[in-house]
Amino acid sequence: MKNSNIKEEINKAEIEFEKKQLSEQFEIRLKFDPINNESKWFKYRKAMLSYLDLGKNDKILDYGSATCEMSEWLAWEEYDVTAIDISYDLLAFSKKRDKSRRLKYACMDCEELAFKDESFDKIICFEILHHLPNPEKGIEEMYRILKGGGRILISEPNALSPARRLSELVWKEESLEKSFYPWSLRKMFEEKFKVIKSTYEYQPEPCIFVRGGYYADLYCKFVTKTKIFLPFLGAITLVAEKKGKE
């Protein structure tokens, strides 16, 4: 019971921290249009989906979806997608904005998924594991609910990034966020999955000195034009496949 209470307090703190971060972009997110969005961030995310080889008959899980931008776009494109997050408020935010009316929502703990074994063909996991008290448990749950031969697309903050490490120092009193070293994240997945792709993708770090349009844009241009620095400035992107088709 004691451990359960501790976890509940940690989850509450993480939810409040995430809400605080998202509130700074409230107006932008509320007006987000998944059909006509041309932002660099959204183009980046959509391009990453090519790694999953999505099919129209696939059942897709957006694992830790927050305000569900990617889920809304997939639903609009007529994919069968379910968005889950531990915060009801973040899911409710998306419900107000969703134009597809096809997107399915579920509020649940990412370490204790209320789905049957092998329920999904594909899983999208964008920057969620570093929020979890026990990321290994989250990986175990994703393995359990993924069908044999199914794929997971993971994007996580890179511990080799100086900007990311600085941001963690800024937030250390408010959040348990802790980025991953590329080799440690890969090892976590190799225990249960076949890792079929491991690379780096440019993504503006949510650091105090790159927050905001002008500075974020300069940061992105620097990273994309100097690809030699991607292992130190880009986010970790990993594609893993559940071994065997059962």
Side-chain angles (χ1 to χ4, degrees), residues 80-118:
D80 182 354
V81 58
T82 301
I84 67 160
D85 200 273
I86 197 170
S87 170
Y88 175 81
D89 290 342
L90 297 182
L91 296 176
F93 185 99
S94 173
K95 285 182 181 180
K96 293 177 183 176
R97 185 184 56 194
D98 178 37
K99 295 179 180 179
S100 73
R101 302 305 171 200
R102 293 172 51 91
L103 180 55
K104 290 171 278 191
Y105 299 89
C107 185
M108 65 181 72
D109 187 339
C110 284
E111 293 182 14
E112 298 176 15
L113 301 177
F115 297 114
K116 294 180 180 179
D117 294 357
E118 300 192 349

Side-chain angles (χ1 to χ4, degrees), residues 31-46:
K31 295 175 182 176
F32 177 84
D33 181 355
I35 301 97
N36 302 305
N37 193 284
E38 294 297 321
S39 70
K40 291 180 181 178
W41 170 83
F42 199 58
K43 285 181 178 179
Y44 156 81
R45 286 288 171 91
K46 287 196 289 187

Side-chain angles (χ1 to χ4, degrees), residues 119-133:
S119 295
F120 294 93
D121 299 283
K122 306 286 168 59
I123 299 176
I124 300 165
C125 178
F126 283 146
E127 300 180 33
I128 302 305
L129 294 175
H130 69 287
H131 287 288
L132 302 184

